[in-house]
Amino acid sequence: MAFICEQLSRTFGEYLLLPEFSSTDCVPSNVRLDTALVKYRKGETPAICLKIPMVSAIMQSVSDNNMAVALAKEGGLSFIYCSQPVDKQAEMVRMAKKYKTGFVVSDSNLMINATLADVLALKQKTGHSTIMVTDDGASGGKLLGMITTRDYRTSRTPIDTPVSEFMTRFENLICARDGISLSHANDLIWDKKLNALPVIDQEDRLKYIVFRKDYEMHKENENEMLDESKSYLVGAGINTRDYAERVPALVNAGADVLCIDSSEGFTEWQKITINYIRENYGDSVKVGAGNVVDKEGFLFLAESGADFVKVGIGGGSICITREQKGLGRGQATSLMEVCQARDEYFEKTGVYIPVCSDGGIVYDYHMTLALAMGADFVMLGRYFSRFDESPTRKVNINGTYMKEYWGEGSNRARNWQRYDMGGETKLSFEEGVDSYVPYAGRLKENVRITLQKVKSTMCNCGSLSIKELQSKARLTIVSPTSIVEGGSHDVLVKNSSVSEHALY
């Protein structure tokens, strides 16, 4: 008969942290959340460290170039989704890498025959108020004009007014030629009192835009994840099917780290994929692998050469793998076993392989629990899908604004490379659902609120770093009735804003 694991399969919701003695130094402003992203040897410094322990999931509805930039500004990292053509994913990586240098590739462009209605629709879609008018409506077209909110008033300008009647025409724009340094471009912006400076080539084709707000934002974002060229760090997902084509394209586009996107990582396919990377790039290309739920899975990926290992099967809010296949394990139990295996591996080999907890996060405090249980960082899908920066539509459902959110195992994603065991470009059956999540606004404000909660809890545990939390934390299992006791009860709540912030 089959082996039966007697240990209960537990989730984050079944645990609470016990408080520890905290000194006067234990205040949130003293807490450091930096953590290793990729493996390193004892006594060495990791090649890549996160400033905050958060990465965004490899999902169509979560991680594109806009999310990559927004999260890197806060100190985290995105893995741009791979369930798309190779060239499109590589272009997203390229756009994100170009962003930090200050030279932004415009993603809000119209042709000269567009109207104010098109302007408003594009603004609603991208969230950007600066729109470039080019001869072909593309970011590399010949620049004809620029539109900002100062060029029109919706209360006075008819909706069918052609953009040619209210845009700032090319001959009236102050532009810079391609090749200008960022320092010179910023000087020009300040000297000429500009909000945006178009950069064009010798044929007047639009190359980039330099924004005043990016310069000001850089001064505010002390945790930015930057490479040696002052560009944002960007991750990218790969699969075990077309890696020989996808990996070179992503590396050439500038991806800083890769991660195999798979619902289950204890397979020879992952070893073959990692071997390809090591044979062609050595250790210069970093790649994470997963997902696994136990010691055996971790050791397999560790010996295969993974730079970090993802933990979790079936715990995501849109994942129905457990329902469809009866496969998986409670996230808390999985994480603690894998992290113990990681520590034993480090003790034995002197090589530390970071662990990423992927899935099962429902409340903000679950992130702190994951870190206390041994995770070096967490991968989040639903959390980030709620923000302006995610690539999905914001829609009004029964008077409430929501964002679309679907799983990579859903029919909508059609990610056969991740889930199907055959070679046909189809899904045999679905392992994810198509859904909505409550719209939550901008990433920056939400992430900072979440991290304040994490830091505050760490202080209650007498810890000023993630490693200290892991060494000091004490956990208790909670009963169903104590879970009820932990929330508001036996009262009529006047304002539910607290619970809305807590639950995604």
Side-chain angles (χ1 to χ4, degrees):
M1 61 174 288
F3 166 78
I4 298 177
C5 179
E6 298 294 342
Q7 183 182 12
L8 283 177
S9 177
R10 296 191 182 277
T11 66
F12 292 134
E14 296 176 78
Y15 289 91
L16 287 174
L17 284 158
L18 298 177
E20 291 288 331
F21 171 77
S22 55
S23 69
T24 54
D25 291 330
C26 286
V27 293
S29 59
N30 288 339
V31 174
R32 291 186 56 187
L33 294 176
D34 53 300
T35 185
L37 177 68
V38 296
K39 69 181 178 184
Y40 60 93
R41 291 192 173 275
K42 187 175 183 178
E44 296 181 350
T45 301
I48 305 176
C49 285
L50 298 168
K51 302 289 183 63
I52 63 173
M54 302 170 75
V55 300
S56 66
I58 311 169
M59 300 174 68
Q60 292 177 4
S61 56
V62 179
S63 299
D64 64 354
N65 52 291
N66 292 319
M67 178 61 70
V69 169
L71 186 50
K73 286 179 179 178
E74 299 306 311
L77 186 132
S78 286
F79 288 92
I80 293 176
Y81 70 93
C82 57
S83 51
Q84 61 176 320
V86 173
D87 59 336
K88 290 187 177 181
Q89 186 188 16
E91 182 57 26
M92 283 188 180
V93 171
R94 197 171 288 112
M95 290 175 68
K97 292 301 293 184
K98 286 180 177 178
Y99 192 100
K100 181 61 199 89
T101 56
F103 297 96
V104 181
V105 177
S106 175
D107 65 353
S108 299
N109 312 286
L110 291 172
M111 296 177 68
I112 194 70
N113 59 357
T115 65
L116 178 59
D118 298 314
V119 170
L120 298 178
L122 186 58
K123 182 182 176 184
Q124 173 70 16
K125 178 182 177 181
T126 65
H128 300 154
S129 57
T130 299
I131 296 173
M132 312 307 289
V133 181
T134 61
D135 62 346
D136 59 0
S139 60
K142 187 173 182 179
L143 184 61
L144 303 178
M146 182 170 72
I147 302 168
T148 69
T149 52
R150 293 180 300 179
D151 294 312
Y152 61 87
R153 292 182 66 179
T154 54
S155 59
R156 296 186 179 183
T157 310
I159 202 76
D160 59 352
T161 304
V163 298
S164 58
E165 294 187 14
F166 59 85
M167 70 180 187
T168 302
R169 293 184 171 276
F170 175 74
E171 54 267 26
N172 296 323
L173 289 173
I174 296 175
C175 299
R177 291 292 176 184
D178 191 19
I180 188 174
S181 69
L182 182 58
S183 176
H184 189 188
N186 282 323
D187 288 343
L188 194 57
I189 285 174
W190 284 94
D191 291 344
K192 300 296 183 180
K193 296 182 172 60
L194 306 175
N195 287 322
L197 174 69
V199 179
I200 56 177
D201 65 13
Q202 296 302 317
E203 297 177 346
D204 296 338
R205 294 189 174 278
L206 180 64
K207 298 291 289 184
Y208 310 105
I209 312 173
V210 180
F211 290 99
R212 174 192 290 261
K213 63 180 178 62
D214 287 342
Y215 175 82
E216 295 171 344
M217 255 190 243
H218 171 58
K219 299 300 181 183
E220 298 175 4
N221 300 324
E222 58 184 21
N223 283 332
E224 287 180 315
M225 290 285 290
L226 304 175
D227 63 17
E228 294 178 353
S229 301
K230 304 302 181 183
S231 294
Y232 287 125
L233 293 189
V234 181
I238 60 173
N239 59 66
T240 58
R241 301 297 179 86
D242 62 7
Y243 56 85
E245 177 188 2
R246 194 173 294 270
V247 170
L250 295 174
V251 171
N252 290 336
D256 297 283
V257 59
L258 307 176
C259 183
I260 301 174
D261 179 34
S262 175
S263 60
E264 200 277 296
F266 196 1
T267 76
E268 189 174 5
W269 294 110
Q270 297 232 347
K271 182 179 177 67
I272 292 171
T273 304
I274 296 171
N275 284 345
Y276 167 83
I277 293 173
R278 297 294 173 244
E279 290 169 2
N280 289 274
Y281 299 96
D283 291 327
S284 64
V285 171
K286 307 301 181 182
V287 57
N291 287 15
V292 298
V293 296
D294 56 18
K295 176 180 180 178
E296 289 75 18
F298 170 82
L299 291 176
F300 171 77
L301 293 178
E303 294 297 336
S304 296
D307 286 294
F308 64 85
V309 173
K310 286 204 297 152
V311 176
I313 294 177
S317 61
I318 40 67
C319 183
I320 55 174
T321 295
R322 297 180 193 175
E323 294 178 13
Q324 293 282 54
K325 298 169 69 173
L327 187 74
R329 197 180 195 187
Q331 187 67 13
T333 302
S334 301
L335 181 61
M336 286 188 283
E337 179 172 326
V338 170
C339 289
Q340 182 178 350
R342 173 207 57 203
D343 293 343
E344 292 172 354
Y345 187 84
F346 178 53
E347 187 70 25
K348 178 181 177 181
T349 66
V351 176
Y352 187 90
I353 301 177
V355 168
C356 170
S357 180
D358 178 16
I361 301 291
V362 181
Y363 298 95
D364 284 343
Y365 82 88
H366 287 174
M367 296 185 204
T368 318
L369 282 173
L371 297 173
M373 290 174 181
D376 296 279
F377 56 97
V378 296
M379 178 173 278
L380 303 160
R382 179 179 55 170
Y383 178 87
F384 287 117
S385 71
R386 305 169 302 142
F387 304 147
D388 287 320
E389 294 82 358
S390 74
T392 63
R393 293 187 306 157
K394 182 173 74 172
V395 295
N396 191 311
I397 306 294
N398 298 325
T400 301
Y401 280 110
M402 311 285 283
K403 289 275 283 185
E404 294 178 313
Y405 180 47
W406 60 91
E408 287 299 296
S410 68
N411 190 56
R412 179 170 182 174
R414 308 190 72 83
N415 189 357
W416 64 273
Q417 297 102 326
R418 186 182 204 264
Y419 286 89
D420 212 62
M421 295 304 290
E424 300 177 15
T425 55
K426 65 179 181 64
L427 285 174
S428 298
F429 56 88
E430 291 185 277
E431 293 185 48
V433 298
D434 198 341
S435 65
Y436 298 104
V437 290
Y439 167 67
R442 294 179 63 210
L443 179 146
K444 176 187 288 289
E445 286 78 12
N446 283 277
V447 165
R448 293 190 175 184
I449 290 172
T450 294
L451 293 180
Q452 277 299 110
K453 294 179 185 178
V454 172
K455 290 180 177 182
S456 179
T457 304
M458 289 174 63
C459 288
N460 295 139
C461 295
S463 303
L464 296 177
S465 69
I466 292 174
K467 288 300 181 186
E468 189 175 9
L469 175 68
Q470 291 168 352
S471 66
K472 286 186 175 181
R474 293 184 299 151
L475 298 166
T476 182
I477 298 173
V478 296
S479 68
T481 52
S482 66
I483 293 175
V484 175
E485 180 187 64
S488 58
H489 57 89
D490 303 315
V491 294
L492 179 63
V493 180
K494 293 181 180 179
N495 189 327
S496 60
S497 62
V498 173
S499 61
E500 288 172 358
H501 276 299
L503 180 63
Y504 310 142

